[in-house]
Amino acid sequence: MWSEVLVLATLTVGLSMGGFPYITPSTGNVWPKPQMTETQETYMVIRPEKFKFSVVGHDCDILQEAINRYKRTMFSGPTSPTLNPVWRKDEKFNGFLDEVSLNLMAECEEYPHQYMDEQYQIKIDSSDAPGNGTIISQSIWGILRGLESFSQLLLPAGSDFNVNSTQVMDFPRFAHRGFMLDTSRHYLPIKKIKDHLELMAMNKFNIFHWHVVDDQSFPYVSERFPQLSELGSFTPIHQYSAQNISDIVEFARLRGIRVLPEFDTPGHTRSWGPGQPELLTSCYKDGKPDGTYGPIDPTLDGNYDFLTSLFEEITERFHDHYVHLGGDEVSFSCWESNPNITAYMEAHNITGDYAKLEEIYISKLLDIIANLPNKNGYLVWQEVFDNGVKIAADTIVHVWKSEHIPIGWKEELEKVTEAGYRTVLSSCWYLNYISYGDDWYKYYECDPQEFNGTDTQKQLILGGEACMWGEYVDGTNLIPRTWPRAAVVAEKLWSSSAHTNDTNAAAPRLEEHRCRLLDRGYQVQPFGPSYCLSDVDV
Ligand SMILES: *[C@@H]1O[C@H](CO)[C@@H](O)[C@H](O)[C@H]1NC(C)=O
Ligand SMILES: *[C@@H]1O[C@H](CO)[C@@H](O)[C@H](O)[C@H]1NC(C)=O
Ligand SMILES: *[C@@H]1O[C@H](CO)[C@@H](O)[C@H](O)[C@H]1NC(C)=O
Ligand SMILES: *[C@@H]1O[C@H](CO)[C@@H](O)[C@H](O)[C@H]1NC(C)=O
Ligand SMILES: *[C@@H]1O[C@H](CO)[C@@H](O)[C@H](O)[C@H]1NC(C)=O
Ligand SMILES: *[C@@H]1O[C@H](CO)[C@@H](O)[C@H](O)[C@H]1NC(C)=O
Ligand SMILES: *[C@@H]1O[C@H](CO)[C@@H](O)[C@H](O)[C@H]1NC(C)=O
C-alpha cells in the first residue's frame, strides 16, 4: 500500500505523457535562475481558496498592488486532473501552506532607480521556521522579484498547488537589464506595451527603453510643441498623450521597471521637421535647397532653446533620472551640402571636420540635459564615442554594432571602458533579426564581460538591453516575436555568469518557462517541437 502512495505522490501533473518533444521541461524551476536555490524533497500544499500573503514589515501601494496581481498570476493556467486524495499522506508531505509573510525591512521607495536594491530571500518550510513561508527584502524592489520567483515555484496538483521546501537567496548580476521597443516605425498599442511590461517583470527586466520617435513618425504628444505630433505622427490616433505616458510609467513603476525615454538626435529626426520649422538642415543640390532635410541644424541658437524646452518636458513626464539621447548614424552629406553650415564651420575654424560639428551639437545637448531641474543622466549610442565627440565622464555609452564595422563589440567594449565610460551592451541581442531554427543559443552564449579588459574595465559594464526595432513589428506580432526569446537575455543579465552559458542545462528550464508564460495567457512562440498543457486553447 505504501509504495502505491509514494508513486502517486510523485505525480504532479497527472496526465499520461507521450510523443517526442525536443526537450522535457523541468518542473518548479525559477527563470532567470536565482544565485542560490536549495530544494528539499519535502513539500507543502497551497490551497488557492485558503491562501493569503501577510504583510509583516513595511507596506505601500506597490506592495498591495503586487499582492493582488500575484494572487491572480500564481493560480492562473491549467489545473491538473484531480489526484487520488491519499497522496498527501506520504512522508514528504509537510502540511498546508496557507500564508506567506512578506517582510519588507525598509520603507518603500516610490520610483525604481539606477541604484535600486533587488536582493531578496525566500524561505519555504526552512529548518529554522518549519511549516512557514517568508519573502524577505531590504527593498520593495526585492520583494517584487521575490514574489515572481515564489510564483514560479508552484506546481499544479489537482486544484491545489505543491511547493517544495525551498530556500532562495538571490540578487541580480547587472543593475541595467533593459528592453528597447520602437514606436516610430510602427505604433504599438498601449495594451501591447503593458503586456510587454508584464512579461518583462516576469523575467526580472528593470528598464523599458522606449525609442519613442524616429524618422518615420512622432507619436509623442508634446504640450509645449503640439505641432510635432500633429504634423509628425502617422494619424491622430497613432499618438501617445500625456495621460497615456503617465499610465505606462505608472504601470512600469508598480512592477519595478524604469521607463527610459529615447529622443534620438541630431539624426533620425525626419518626423520632427514638419512641426518645428528651421529645426532640420535643408539639403542643397546645385546651389539650391532640394526639398529634402538632414539632421538637426546645429548652427542655430533657436534650436537649442527648443531642445531645452522639449527635454525639460520629457524628463518631467517620464520621471526617470536618465534619458537616452541617441546620436547614432548621423549622416554628414546634408551638412556638407548646406552653405550656411559651411559658413558656420569656417567661422568656427572647423572647416571640413563634421565630427567636430557633431561634437559641438552633442556637447551643447549634454549641457542642456545636465542642467535640467531633475539633474538628468544620459545614454548615447556608440557612434558618439566612436566619432571622438568629447562627452561628459558620466555618460553611459550604449554599444549596439555587431559585426566588424569598424570593429567587433568586444573590441568596442574594450575601448569604451578603457576610456573610463560606463557601458551597456545590445550588439548580440537584436531580437528583431529573426531566422529559422534555434536562434536563442547565440543570445545565451554572449557575455557582456567577455572581452579583454581589467577588472576595473569590467566593472564599468552596467548590463545590457535586448532590442526589438519596429520596421516589421506592430501590435500583431510584438509579443510572439519578442517572447520567450527575450527571456534568454533576461537570464544572462540576472543570473551569475558561471551558471549561465550552458544551453543544454538551460533548455529544460527555458521550456518550462515558455509554458509558464503561455499558461499565464501570453501569446509566446515555441522554441522547438513541443507542447504545453495550455496550447490546445490559445
Ligand atoms: C520536490 O518534492 C517532490 C515530492 O517529494 C520530489 O519528488 C522532488 O524531487 C522535489 N524536487 C526537488 C528539486 O528536490
Ligand atoms: C511561523 O508563522 C507563524 C504564523 O504566522 C508565526 O506565529 C511564527 O512565529 C512563525 N515561526 C517562525 C519561526 O518564524
Ligand atoms: C490615451 O489617452 C487619451 C487621452 O489623452 C485617452 O482618451 C485614451 O483612452 C488613452 N488610451 C488608452 C489605451 O488608455
Ligand atoms: C542661410 O542663412 C541666410 C542668412 O542668414 C538665411 O537668410 C537663410 O534662410 C539661411 N538658409 C538656411 C537654409 O538656413
Ligand atoms: C584654427 O585651427 C587650426 C588647426 O586646428 C589651429 O592651428 C589654429 O590656431 C586655429 N585658429 C584659430 C583662430 O583658432
Ligand atoms: C584578447 O587578447 C588576446 C591576446 O592578446 C587576443 O589573441 C584576442 O584576439 C583578444 N580578443 C579580443 C576579443 O580582442
Ligand atoms: C562557459 O563558461 C565557462 C566558465 O566560465 C568557460 O570556460 C566556457 O568557455 C564558457 N562557454 C561558452 C560557450 O561561452
Side-chain angles (χ1 to χ4, degrees), residues 156-195:
S159 55
D160 296 334
F161 293 84
N162 286 359
V163 56
N164 286 54
S165 309
T166 304
Q167 293 204 55
V168 176
M169 215 284 287
D170 200 12
F171 53 85
R173 176 182 175 200
F174 292 113
H176 190 119
R177 305 184 309 281
F179 200 101
M180 194 222 68
L181 290 183
D182 165 9
T183 56
S184 172
R185 276 58 180 257
H186 283 97
Y187 182 82
L188 294 173
I190 290 158
K191 157 122 191 17
K192 297 291 174 175
I193 294 178
K194 288 184 177 174
D195 283 353

Side-chain angles (χ1 to χ4, degrees), residues 415-430:
K415 283 192 163 183
V416 171
T417 55
E418 197 169 25
Y421 292 106
R422 292 173 301 163
T423 172
V424 167
L425 179 70
S426 282
S427 307
C428 19
W429 297 317
Y430 266 43

Side-chain angles (χ1 to χ4, degrees), residues 278 280-284 289 297 299-300 338-341:
E278 310 245 294
L280 303 184
T281 307
S282 281
C283 313
Y284 276 64
D297 185 335
T299 67
L300 303 177
N338 182 302
N340 288 29
I341 301 252

Side-chain angles (χ1 to χ4, degrees), residues 213-277:
V213 300
D214 205 297
D215 286 326
Q216 290 81 355
S217 78
F218 198 103
Y220 172 84
V221 178
S222 165
E223 201 182 322
R224 299 182 184 190
F225 304 98
Q227 289 209 323
L228 289 170
S229 58
E230 277 162 21
L231 300 176
S233 66
F234 290 130
T235 81
I237 59 169
H238 296 96
Q239 294 180 350
Y240 301 106
S241 68
Q243 186 197 322
N244 300 153
I245 287 165
S246 62
D247 186 22
I248 288 169
V249 169
E250 175 65 3
F251 192 91
R253 179 185 80 90
L254 292 172
R255 287 157 184 77
I257 297 173
R258 298 162 56 194
V259 181
L260 172 71
E262 178 182 351
F263 284 76
D264 191 357
T265 67
H268 288 277
T269 45
R270 183 70 194 85
S271 70
W272 303 44
Q276 185 63 21

Side-chain angles (χ1 to χ4, degrees), residues 93-115:
F93 172 58
N94 273 0
F96 295 102
L97 183 66
D98 290 339
E99 183 176 319
V100 163
S101 50
L102 303 177
N103 189 357
L104 170 55
M105 298 173 73
E107 295 238 349
C108 279
E109 292 174 313
E110 198 184 349
Y111 279 88
H113 57 91
Q114 191 191 5
Y115 302 109

Side-chain angles (χ1 to χ4, degrees), residues 185-186 432 469-474 476-477 481:
R185 276 58 180 257
H186 283 97
N432 50 294
W469 293 98
E471 286 86 351
Y472 307 98
V473 175
D474 68 4
T476 62
N477 60 353
R481 187 169 284 196

Side-chain angles (χ1 to χ4, degrees), residues 445 450 497-498 501-502:
E445 283 167 359
E450 214 178 81
S497 49
N501 69 1
D502 182 347

